[in-house]
Amino acid sequence: MTGTHTRVATGLDLYNRAAADAAATVIARYSTSFGLACRMLGPRPRPHVRNIYALARIADEIVDGPAAEAGLTPGATAALLDQLEQETHDAIDRGFSSNLVVHAFATTARECGIGADLVVPFFASMRTDLQTQRHDAASHDAYVYGSAEVIGLMCLQVFVNAGSGHPVAPAPELIDGARRLGAAFQDVNFLRDLAHDRGVLGRDYLDVSSAGERARVLARIDADLAAAARVIPELPADSRRAVTAAHDLFAELAARLRDGDGSEERVRVPDAVKARLAARALMGFGPREVRA
């Protein structure tokens, strides 16, 4: 009761739906491309994938500027990230959070078998953004694992386990494919955002200072995309088309990065090409071939 005599519908089911709606709103505001891919998922995995990406987006925003714009010091920003991680662990344990996005993620984690083994490295990578400005090969790989590969693994847990009632471990080849697809996505974004990361955020994830080093990164992306493409057909049918569309979008971005000159202009895929890639995936075609 809230100060009037009108009875308001309540209960955990309603709260869960409100939390899922909040996560969907976060995704819709931040990524039109990801929103399109999510709509291609079946109704079984779709809300869970949104829940995962909404939490990831909130953590990303804490370290990428909005917190600082709000006046938080670096120390306060780090403390806020720590609080978000602790609240996430607590919500998974108890099944409830007063933070709607965290609550949405926790419902997914509990249903699909996402545990601390994936949550901890994710937040460790987010924390790295507050501490490390320049990455070498080892720190790059650790960062990519926590920031991208574990997101792919979380989504794989959803694809395999959503609605099952008894989460199981995915097949090893699917685990490898999920990791490599996540790594490819992250490296593509690093190349696209070189100028912004260096000039605005003061970060260098790739240490790319020559055409040869840039070509090396693109070759790694192609190898990861090719490896992921080989196992995407083994995913459940209600997830396969969306993952194919995402794979093909990033393969297109990689191709455009290769054809570009490495300038500061951010490479994009025109909407008409995105629509063609999505239509191709919806028609049931497999991932496009990537020469590795």
Side-chain angles (χ1 to χ4, degrees):
M1 201 67 68
T2 59
T4 71
H5 295 291
T6 303
R7 183 174 295 278
V8 179
T10 187
L12 185 58
D13 285 345
L14 177 60
Y15 193 83
N16 289 344
R17 293 196 299 273
D21 288 346
T25 298
V26 170
I27 294 308
R29 292 290 185 185
Y30 276 97
S31 177
T32 55
S33 295
F34 180 75
L36 173 63
C38 262
R39 288 193 294 275
M40 294 177 67
L41 290 166
R44 180 185 66 92
R46 186 187 305 130
H48 294 295
V49 171
R50 285 175 175 159
N51 294 347
I52 290 168
Y53 273 86
L55 178 67
R57 172 52 59 185
I58 296 301
D60 217 26
E61 289 302 288
I62 289 174
V63 301
D64 275 357
E69 289 181 30
L72 275 69
T73 65
T77 301
L80 189 62
L81 187 66
D82 291 345
Q83 291 167 17
L84 181 63
E85 179 178 10
Q86 188 59 56
E87 178 61 22
T88 301
H89 290 299
D90 290 345
I92 294 172
D93 288 342
R94 69 192 174 209
F96 187 85
S97 174
S98 58
N99 179 320
L100 285 173
V101 170
V102 172
H103 182 86
F105 177 85
T107 62
T108 291
R110 288 164 67 90
E111 179 174 330
C112 301
I114 297 170
D117 60 319
L118 298 180
V119 174
V120 169
F122 169 72
F123 278 98
S125 282
M126 295 299 97
R127 201 167 286 111
T128 298
D129 277 336
L130 300 175
Q131 302 164 346
T132 303
Q133 282 71 50
R134 189 179 185 88
H135 287 266
D136 58 19
S139 65
H140 163 274
D141 291 351
Y143 181 87
V144 169
Y145 175 73
S147 66
E149 293 180 34
V150 299
I151 300 298
L153 293 173
M154 289 178 188
C155 290
L156 180 59
Q157 288 293 127
V158 166
F159 299 155
V160 172
N161 291 309
S164 69
H166 300 283
V168 299
E173 62 270 20
L174 291 179
I175 291 173
D176 181 68
R179 290 187 59 179
R180 296 191 71 171
L181 190 60
F185 288 178
Q186 188 69 291
D187 276 341
V188 165
N189 283 330
F190 286 160
L191 281 179
R192 294 175 76 200
D193 294 333
L194 274 176
H196 180 266
D197 288 343
R198 289 173 175 172
V200 177
L201 300 178
R203 302 175 193 154
D204 191 339
Y205 295 100
L206 292 175
D207 193 22
V208 173
S209 56
S210 70
E213 290 168 347
R214 190 169 184 274
R216 173 180 51 79
V217 174
L218 284 165
R220 182 173 70 224
I221 290 168
D222 285 347
D224 285 338
L225 288 171
R230 288 192 288 270
V231 300
I232 287 173
E234 299 177 27
L235 290 172
D238 58 359
S239 306
R240 198 180 304 141
R241 289 176 173 82
V243 178
T244 295
H247 171 279
D248 289 359
L249 173 62
F250 276 81
E252 179 69 24
L253 283 166
R256 289 170 182 263
L257 284 163
R258 181 174 292 100
D259 293 340
D261 57 5
S263 66
E264 294 189 358
E265 184 175 353
R266 193 173 196 261
V267 171
R268 298 181 182 277
V269 175
D271 289 344
V273 177
K274 289 181 183 178
R276 175 172 58 78
L277 295 174
R280 182 180 179 281
L282 282 170
M283 292 171 64
F285 287 95
R288 63 186 275 182
E289 182 178 352
V290 178
R291 292 192 301 273

